[in-house]
Amino acid sequence: MRLVLTLLLLLATVAVVGYTHWQLVRQVRPLLQRALGHGLVVLVAAAFAWTVSATYMGAEEGGGLAAFLMAFGVAHMPPAIVLFLKQQEKQ
């Protein structure tokens, strides 16, 4: 059961990552600003994910990778929310 829950959470966080970067492409027109946005979000998310996964590296087999991917997705949540609200404001 724990594996199924982990896989569902991983799927959800990967979807958040995809949504965030898709919305950046749709909402930010200047190429330099868009590239900066992608880079900044990925850099912050990777730093957060690396810090979280360092704590759980020895937890279980594959636990460190799962922790990294989930933390990477969780770090994308605030920009995803902001981009979602900006999209709703335009409609």
Side-chain angles (χ1 to χ4, degrees):
M1 186 65 183
R2 184 182 287 177
L3 178 63
V4 172
L5 181 60
T6 301
L7 291 174
L8 289 174
L9 287 172
L10 280 173
L11 183 63
T13 57
V14 167
V16 168
V17 171
Y19 176 80
T20 302
H21 290 281
W22 177 59
Q23 286 297 325
L24 275 172
V25 169
R26 290 185 66 216
Q27 293 185 24
V28 180
R29 291 292 174 222
L31 183 61
L32 183 60
Q33 288 180 353
R34 189 176 4 174
L36 184 63
H38 287 296
L40 187 61
V41 170
V42 167
L43 181 69
V44 169
F48 177 69
W50 178 75
T51 304
V52 169
S53 68
T55 304
Y56 295 103
M57 223 22 152
E60 295 180 15
E61 187 175 318
L65 178 61
F68 182 89
L69 291 174
M70 279 193 250
F72 191 77
V74 167
H76 277 78
M77 191 61 98
I81 292 170
V82 169
L83 290 166
F84 175 77
L85 292 174
K86 280 182 66 176
Q87 179 189 14
Q88 295 303 312
E89 185 180 274
K90 290 180 181 179
Q91 291 179 354

